[in-house]
Amino acid sequence: MLVGNPNTGKSTVFNRLTGFRQRVGNYPGVTVEKHSGMLAVDDPAVQIELIDLPGAYSLAAGAEDETIVAELLLARQAQAVRPDLIVCILDASNLRRNLFFATQVLELGVPVIVALNMLDVTRRRGLEIDIDALAEELGTLVVPVVATRGEGIDKLKTAIAESIDLVAPTRCPSFPDCVCAEVDGLCQSLGLSGSLEQCAGQRSEALQSLLSPGGYHETRLVERCGRGLAEELIERRGRITAAGESLVEVEARVRYAWIDRVVERVVRTNSPPGPSKTQRADALLTHRIFGTAILAAIMLFCFQAIYTWAGPLMDVIDGAFVSLASGVSALLPEGPLQSLLADGIIAGVGAVLIFLPQILVLFLFIAILEDCGYMARAAFLLDRWMSLVGLGGKAFIPLLSSYACAIPGILATRTIENRSDRFVTILIAPLMSCSARLPVYVLLISAFVPPIMLAGGWVSLQAVTLLGMYLVGTLVAIGVAFVLKRTAFRGPAQSFLMELPTYRWPVPRVVLYRAYEQGKEFVVTAGTIIFAVTVVIWALAYYPRPQTIATNHDAMRAQADAEYANAVAASAEKVGAEGLREPERKPEVAAALAAIRAEEASFESEVLAAEIEASSEEWAEVRRAADAKMSAIAEKYGDDGMAALELFRAETKLAEQLTEIDHLEEGAYFRQSFLAHMGRWIEPVVRPLGWDWRIGTAVLASFPAREVIIATMGTIYNLGGEQDETSQLLREKLHRAKWPSGERIFTLPVALSIMVFFALCCQCGATLAVIRRETQSWRWPVITFVYMTTLAYVGALATFQIATRLAA
Amino acid sequence: MESSDRIHLSDAISRVCDLRAGETGIVVSVEDDAREAKRLADLGFARGAGVEMLRTGKPCLVRTGGTFVGLGERLQRAIRIQPVGNES
């Protein structure tokens, strides 16, 4: 097992020892990641599993990470599970503080190897460490390493491989008699017998339970041994205090006195220590004004990068999934299987994976900032502001990440030690406006918010509305946090307590590996749940398949085919039937047809480029010009040309009609589906929000993943499911949708009410799954879902009612 | 003027939050009722340890030994110290 203080380069040492081959899991019952891997040595006979424990300052286990360490090193020993060997990593540049934890580890009755890391930093600071003297004082093997450069790692590997049957060290500080007597007494009443070495772990546990009233060890011990023990502990503590010892300080005093003696012997100062680089950097970086400004700049840069760097990759993924889906559609016969694969699974998984680039870039930044030590400064600077809401500074980064996607945000809450702070952060993270909401905002804002310029042409009303949507989520989140901290998660605010570690250059391999690891986790967690939910929603939207719809639309297709045949027959009169039909087609007709098609192709690309900006009038203008050109080309070939043009037009018309019929059929099926029935069924509920059943259905379908609403809208309005937020057609269709009474459905208040609903609702199955996993209970995802849905409904209701009154 | 009062070891017990930037104190005790008291002590804020205030505020930035720690308001008050004059 690898143990050590936080920021001692433990993970780097671990990665070097295992050669990056490791498994990541979770410790049972808690959410701290467990990294384990085999020691990477050439000798296949050596099979040593290494476990990387979280960083800890003390076995007293004040933070969640530390409880894992305490659990594995102490409590498990009661069940006779103990590690064969502990590798304790010390930061040589801060030996004194690191030795505190080391002395606790030395007492566990388990062989220990000390890896002295960061000797390069130590030397630069003018400190010299006598390794042999340290080994002698600690009674262990001491291996000097520089983990960032891989120095000494081979030596450490050999030491680990060879020393499995080392004896446990015995040199450790001794406690005052009054404490020892109580520890002995407690051990007796716990029924411990055997040699000191055998029950060393239990003795440590007894000591920690005595010294931390109400702490983790007391709780565990009382759980195991019953209530009577709690009273005994109080009694024994009373005797220690009566002897004039402070429970809080005695351990620190005893250990640091011993450590100071060791440090004095082992460390030689060669040059007077001036302010270190870290101190000079912190003079600026923790400055209330400049530091905060730099932090803001860094965050701005990160977010800019998330959107710009990830953009092209997202297009690639999107394209890949679209072609995969159409490939599958082409390969498989039409029917449920094809639809399930193409529209359900591939589209659903694609909807998750499209966010992967953003998430990877975000994780990469978080990993870099964490690895270089800046994250602690950010928390330090932001604690003032976050405490206004009742949260600590560490909640800031997870919440900020949630603006890209709530899932990495929720994963990032693992750094928050305080349980109630962590849960509140998890609960409000999905309220941050994630990037999946953006397409919905873009579609509705561009369709319904007039592009009026405000403030003398500086900002548009559309931009203000978009900003407003982000604000809605944020303000509500602040309110929810405020309420939660005063109700369900009441309790004295945790006071800020965080080490600001020495700055260091991030190790690229470690940073990349961590980003990769978390990206993988996202894909697995989010992918699985989305996969499952997508199948359900797909089935609800696909079934039943009434035969009448197929019959009706097949009739329409037959009619289109007949029209095409008529048109071909009409143009055949010009050149004779043989002249048109392949393979005997006249070369002149073929040439004219090729020229016309080439013209059409160039026109298509022109339209594609202009489509997003061009209005429908401009679009028609371009279309007319293209038609004129085609006629000109056709005229050059005379009758052959005219025949080719007619043939071409008939072909185009047929293709258009068939697509339209497909969309109509798709829409007809959808309107018949279980999902649409559910949508009609809930219409009375969503009527007060200004929605009709179609909006209700689309919103229902978007509960597993909010971004599908646009595709669903496309299907409902017979445009096919492949619409995106920039689609002109969809915007126009939305404008034209009417209530049975003839009034327009989509008005500004309705658009606003939908957007507010999306801003506040937890329409993301993956987020709920991650909450379930991180909190280890179904309770919190259910609560999140219920409270957010309620808020969304109330918010949308208020928005629609107020906006309608204002408009009237 | 004020700093001259602090040149010698003052008998008055004050707290970390009373230190100004650049000033140093020696830890006398950590209040028992602070929930994080043991954590503070284990981190090195134990009797006799020097605490240098680097940046005041909530949280403040202090140094003890080679460790730089940010301390929130309540913890600054929980650590009782004996101020020593600016050593320079």
Side-chain angles (χ1 to χ4, degrees):
Chain A
M1 282 188 189
L2 247 63
V3 300
N5 279 185
N7 308 303
T8 49
K10 221 163 41 63
S11 307
T12 316
V13 172
F14 178 72
N15 284 329
R16 295 268 180 200
L17 286 177
T18 57
F20 286 89
R21 278 185 299 276
Q22 46 173 295
R23 277 179 299 131
V24 184
N26 266 29
Y27 292 101
V30 279
T31 55
V32 180
E33 276 172 38
K34 173 182 177 174
H35 296 254
S36 61
M38 303 306 287
L39 184 68
V41 282
D42 293 331
D43 184 358
V46 183
Q47 291 276 324
I48 299 170
E49 191 189 11
L50 289 174
I51 299 174
D52 186 17
L53 296 193
Y57 293 111
S58 163
L59 286 178
E64 190 174 5
D65 282 14
E66 290 180 343
T67 61
I68 299 300
V69 179
E71 160 93 18
L72 286 169
L73 294 185
L74 296 183
R76 290 272 178 87
Q77 293 213 4
Q79 296 124 46
V81 185
R82 58 159 78 186
D84 302 311
L85 173 74
I86 298 175
V87 179
C88 183
I89 297 164
L90 301 182
D91 173 0
S93 63
N94 193 357
L95 199 55
R96 187 174 180 269
R97 216 262 332 277
N98 276 257
L99 278 174
F100 181 89
F101 181 62
T103 58
Q104 291 182 327
V105 170
L106 291 178
E107 288 171 359
L108 296 177
V110 174
V112 176
I113 293 178
V114 169
L116 198 58
N117 194 13
M118 305 202 186
L119 278 167
D120 49 338
V121 183
T122 317
R123 252 175 249 132
R124 270 204 302 274
R125 291 217 189 127
L127 300 173
E128 203 70 53
I129 292 180
D130 185 340
I131 312 254
D132 296 332
L134 184 63
E136 193 189 321
E137 286 290 346
L138 301 178
T140 63
L141 226 60
V142 175
V143 184
V145 294
V146 181
T148 47
R149 293 203 297 261
E151 286 172 25
I153 293 295
D154 285 334
K155 255 195 201 158
L156 185 58
K157 277 186 196 169
T158 325
I160 294 171
E162 286 171 0
S163 65
I164 286 299
D165 36 34
L166 264 185
V167 280
T170 46
R171 311 195 52 152
C172 16
S174 52
F175 278 79
D177 292 342
C178 64
V179 178
C180 290
E182 300 307 328
V183 171
D184 288 340
L186 186 58
C187 286
Q188 247 160 35
S189 35
L190 291 174
L192 292 178
S193 54
S195 71
L196 267 183
E197 197 189 308
Q198 277 169 335
C199 59
Q202 281 99 321
R203 284 182 63 83
S204 290
E205 194 183 12
L207 175 72
Q208 294 299 342
S209 342
L210 274 171
L211 296 183
S212 316
Y216 163 79
H217 294 285
E218 178 178 350
T219 320
R220 286 301 306 258
L221 219 52
V222 171
E223 259 172 37
R224 278 213 311 270
C225 308
R227 294 273 344 141
L229 197 77
E231 278 152 38
E232 186 185 334
L233 279 171
I234 293 170
E235 206 176 294
R236 291 189 184 279
R237 283 185 197 127
R239 282 205 285 277
I240 295 177
T241 356
E245 283 298 348
S246 149
L247 291 173
V248 169
E249 281 188 306
V250 64
E251 187 180 8
R253 210 192 64 227
V254 166
R255 293 193 195 278
Y256 278 118
W258 190 86
I259 290 163
D260 283 338
R261 193 184 52 75
V262 173
V263 168
E264 192 159 324
R265 185 180 157 203
V266 166
V267 181
R268 241 197 354 266
T269 314
N270 287 335
S271 58
S276 64
K277 274 185 197 158
T278 293
Q279 240 174 313
R280 283 199 299 264
D282 269 344
L284 181 66
L285 292 177
T286 63
H287 191 276
R288 197 137 294 145
I289 297 161
F290 301 123
T292 312
I294 292 170
L295 175 66
I298 291 176
M299 290 301 142
L300 208 62
F301 173 76
C302 290
F303 270 76
Q304 185 63 33
I306 286 171
Y307 285 105
T308 49
W309 297 358
L313 260 175
M314 290 171 79
D315 292 342
V316 170
I317 293 180
D318 194 27
F321 271 92
V322 168
S323 41
L324 184 62
S326 57
V328 167
S329 304
L331 273 178
L332 292 171
E334 213 165 292
L337 183 65
Q338 182 216 48
S339 174
L340 172 65
L341 277 176
D343 305 335
I345 293 169
I346 295 177
V349 173
V352 179
L353 286 188
I354 190 148
F355 293 104
L356 188 60
Q358 282 195 343
I359 283 166
L360 279 179
V361 174
L362 180 72
F363 279 145
L364 192 65
F365 277 113
I366 291 182
I368 291 173
L369 292 178
E370 233 163 38
D371 209 49
C372 72
Y374 185 75
M375 224 45 141
R377 274 77 185 180
F380 175 82
L381 284 168
L382 293 164
D383 191 68
R384 277 161 67 84
W385 306 107
M386 295 305 290
S387 62
L388 296 178
V389 192
L391 294 170
K394 284 187 173 180
F396 182 78
I397 300 294
L399 291 179
L400 192 68
S401 312
S402 301
Y403 279 102
C405 175
I407 293 164
I410 290 168
L411 295 180
T413 61
R414 288 176 184 173
T415 54
I416 305 174
E417 287 118 7
N418 181 306
R419 198 178 148 83
S420 82
D421 270 19
R422 178 157 183 240
F423 276 36
V424 172
T425 312
I426 289 178
L427 286 180
I428 64 171
L431 278 171
M432 301 293 144
S433 225
C434 69
S435 48
R437 287 172 170 109
L438 197 56
V440 184
Y441 298 156
V442 169
L443 171 74
L444 292 173
I445 287 177
S446 56
F448 298 103
V449 178
I452 304 169
M453 296 309 275
L454 301 173
W458 280 101
V459 284
S460 72
L461 184 60
Q462 294 186 332
V464 172
T465 315
L466 185 61
L467 187 67
M469 286 304 133
Y470 276 83
L471 271 180
V472 165
T474 312
L475 292 177
V476 170
I478 291 173
V480 171
F482 196 82
V483 170
L484 284 176
K485 283 303 277 185
R486 269 153 200 78
T487 53
F489 295 96
R490 203 166 23 204
Q494 181 100 352
S495 198
F496 189 83
L497 172 58
M498 194 190 274
E499 187 193 356
L500 303 191
T502 308
Y503 287 110
R504 57 179 184 199
W505 289 109
V507 185
R509 225 177 136 182
V510 173
V511 167
L512 286 174
Y513 188 80
R514 199 174 312 154
Y516 156 78
E517 212 172 51
Q518 288 186 295
K520 198 172 78 181
E521 198 176 328
F522 165 80
V523 171
V524 172
T525 320
T528 327
I529 186 84
I530 286 288
F531 177 84
V533 176
T534 314
V535 172
V536 173
I537 290 286
W538 167 84
L540 286 176
Y542 187 80
Y543 289 104
R545 309 287 284 178
Q547 188 55 44
T548 48
I549 292 179
T551 324
N552 289 344
H553 289 84
D554 282 344
M556 286 159 78
R557 280 192 195 97
Q559 201 193 333
D561 282 336
E563 276 172 31
Y564 172 69
N566 287 342
V568 172
S571 51
E573 281 171 15
K574 293 197 175 75
V575 286
E578 298 78 35
L580 273 184
R581 214 177 298 123
E582 288 195 277
E584 310 90 44
R585 184 179 284 169
K586 262 172 94 175
E588 290 81 5
V589 176
L593 200 58
I596 291 168
R597 282 195 180 131
E599 173 57 29
E600 174 72 13
S602 78
F603 157 78
E604 286 272 339
S605 58
E606 200 180 311
V607 167
L608 223 58
E611 188 180 32
I612 295 162
E613 285 96 46
S615 70
S616 47
E617 294 89 55
E618 283 165 335
W619 193 82
E621 189 65 41
V622 179
R623 176 80 257 186
R624 269 197 297 279
D627 281 344
K629 263 194 200 159
M630 279 181 219
S631 307
I633 292 170
E635 271 164 30
K636 274 193 266 170
Y637 291 88
D639 274 352
D640 292 339
M642 295 320 284
L645 185 62
E646 276 164 27
L647 189 62
F648 173 76
R649 291 218 167 114
E651 272 172 8
T652 319
K653 193 178 165 204
L654 176 69
E656 275 170 8
Q657 277 183 335
L658 287 180
T659 317
E660 204 192 326
I661 294 167
D662 281 348
H663 289 164
L664 281 174
E665 187 179 25
E666 200 182 325
Y669 274 128
F670 186 81
R671 282 188 292 276
Q672 276 299 311
S673 69
F674 294 121
L675 192 67
H677 283 293
M678 286 161 72
R680 286 203 194 82
W681 186 66
I682 63 154
E683 191 174 5
V685 182
V686 298
R687 263 316 260 279
L689 313 183
W691 303 357
D692 72 339
W693 71 267
R694 283 177 286 200
I695 305 176
T697 310
V699 170
L700 265 188
S702 63
F703 265 93
R706 52 175 65 87
E707 55 274 16
V708 305
I709 189 169
I710 290 166
T712 318
M713 289 268 207
T715 307
I716 296 179
Y717 289 104
N718 301 333
L719 296 172
E722 54 275 1
Q723 299 301 317
D724 71 12
E725 70 272 17
T726 53
S727 159
Q728 267 302 337
L729 278 171
L730 185 54
R731 274 179 226 172
E732 281 171 21
K733 280 278 188 182
L734 293 185
H735 269 292
R736 269 185 260 128
K738 292 210 166 63
W739 289 103
S741 62
E743 280 173 71
R744 269 176 43 194
I745 295 172
F746 279 91
T747 56
L748 184 57
V750 172
L752 287 176
S753 122
I754 297 175
M755 282 194 279
V756 168
F757 191 89
F758 270 75
L760 299 180
C761 196
C762 187
Q763 294 160 304
C764 183
T767 299
L768 292 172
V770 169
I771 295 179
R772 150 86 187 90
R773 228 202 35 195
E774 291 298 303
T775 60
Q776 298 284 323
S777 126
W778 279 110
R779 198 164 147 215
W780 299 110
V782 169
I783 289 176
T784 309
F785 181 78
V786 170
Y787 102 79
M788 285 184 70
T789 311
T790 315
L791 271 181
Y793 185 83
V794 174
L797 179 69
T799 309
F800 177 70
Q801 298 297 342
I802 294 170
T804 316
R805 303 263 138 76
L806 283 182
Chain B
M1 192 180 74
E2 259 182 277
S3 60
S4 65
D5 295 341
R6 293 177 187 244
I7 292 287
H8 55 90
L9 265 171
S10 150
D11 293 333
I13 303 290
S14 61
R15 295 156 196 279
V16 167
C17 53
D18 301 326
L19 287 174
R20 288 180 299 177
E23 290 181 341
T24 305
I26 305 284
V27 176
V28 176
S29 65
V30 180
E31 276 174 25
D32 284 359
D33 54 342
R35 278 180 305 136
E36 300 91 341
K38 179 113 195 336
R39 231 165 117 68
L40 279 177
D42 292 356
L43 268 174
F45 292 93
R47 182 195 294 261
V51 178
E52 185 189 352
M53 175 65 77
L54 298 173
R55 195 181 289 289
T56 55
K58 304 162 192 173
C60 69
L61 177 55
V62 297
R63 175 169 71 163
T64 178
T67 312
F68 297 85
V69 180
L71 288 179
E73 191 182 3
R74 201 157 44 76
L75 296 180
Q76 295 178 41
R77 270 191 275 119
I79 304 174
R80 279 195 281 256
I81 51 156
Q82 212 171 20
V84 286
N86 216 334
E87 277 155 84
S88 59

